[in-house]
Amino acid sequence: MQLYISGSLAYDRIMNFEGRFSDHILPDKIHVLNVCFNVNGLQEKLGGTAGNIAYGLAQLGERPVILACLGQDGERYLRWVESQGIDGSRIRVLEQEFTAGAFITTDKSDNQITGFNPGAMNHPCQCDVGEMSPANSLAIVAPGNLEDMQRLPKEFRAKGVPYIFDPGQSLNIWKGEDLAEAFAGAQVLISNDYELELIRRMTGLELSEILERVEAVITTKGEEGSVLWRGRDRTDIPIAKAEQVLDPTGAGDAYRSGLMKGMSLGLDLAQACLWGAVLASFAVAGYGTQEYSVDQDGFARRLETLGGGPYPA
């Protein structure tokens, strides 16, 4: 089965400030704020929803197709994509823009100041849905360019391509009626529990009404696992035990990768969710969203511990 990943590609520039922001911000001068924080170096990580989800699928032996944009500085990302066995042939490169980038500074109290430049993400990927085979395709619409997130669900429905809709951190740029239109007809609507409440408030729909528009709703709840809703049927999905937890940032995207892999194998959705839970347990054990590696034996053991059945040969 061919897996298509629509979303974002970004560079995350991560910096640490050894002091506390609060010690350098004067409350009575906040109206003329002008501060500078000297950091102790910078790390650059590859990120973005499309890149993260595609990376997780590659770890599970898939060659997913990325539908997203890079900028004039995207050559290094393209090389990485190809080195991981990911299909980057549909990535659109915009020479007049920089690749989307987050500039994240964290102080010693774990407060963060982030600047985000959408750059190339301001532009649609212009992918052609017509070449996709409905019987042999599965897509995910993850947070990225808004035009893509609005257009692709309509085209997937018209073509008969099953898709997962994942609005995530893009919710602040949606109108409720457009959001409801985008997930109507999706095979799965996935979000965390906070985002699901936002979706409900923005659209004015109760969970039962959302479930009339999609085949299933999956809600991730961090350390509490996840919940699968199909109609009135609820299935609680446990977490998989990680060897260590260093950075939870990429867990959500890894869950989506595992979910898609399970669905591509024709597994029941509850079983596919277990694949998501297991892959997330590998992602949290390393810093960065594309830093972990998966060994088949270790994955199979964790999957069987959750009752997920044998890893396919």
Side-chain angles (χ1 to χ4, degrees), residues 59-101:
Q59 288 291 308
L60 296 176
E62 295 291 336
R63 182 173 170 80
V65 180
I66 290 180
L67 312 175
C69 294
L70 286 170
Q72 59 185 262
D73 56 344
E75 180 61 32
R76 185 167 71 87
Y77 211 135
L78 281 173
R79 291 197 304 269
W80 169 254
V81 162
E82 289 301 327
S83 74
Q84 298 304 306
I86 298 166
D87 187 341
S89 63
R90 274 84 159 180
I91 295 175
R92 183 184 178 197
V93 178
L94 295 129
E95 294 297 339
Q96 75 274 23
E97 296 277 11
F98 287 104
T99 299

Side-chain angles (χ1 to χ4, degrees), residues 92-154:
R92 183 184 178 197
V93 178
L94 295 129
E95 294 297 339
Q96 75 274 23
E97 296 277 11
F98 287 104
T99 299
F103 300 81
I104 307 162
T105 305
T106 306
D107 73 1
K108 64 187 302 181
S109 297
D110 289 330
N111 297 305
Q112 289 186 327
I113 295 176
T114 299
F116 182 72
N117 171 37
M121 201 180 78
N122 280 321
H123 301 265
C125 66
Q126 298 183 341
C127 63
D128 182 9
V129 171
E131 65 186 27
M132 300 180 185
S133 168
N136 194 42
S137 298
L138 174 64
I140 185 168
V141 178
N145 174 265
L146 181 60
E147 183 178 332
D148 285 337
M149 296 186 75
Q150 292 175 330
R151 173 181 67 89
L152 288 173
K154 296 176 183 177

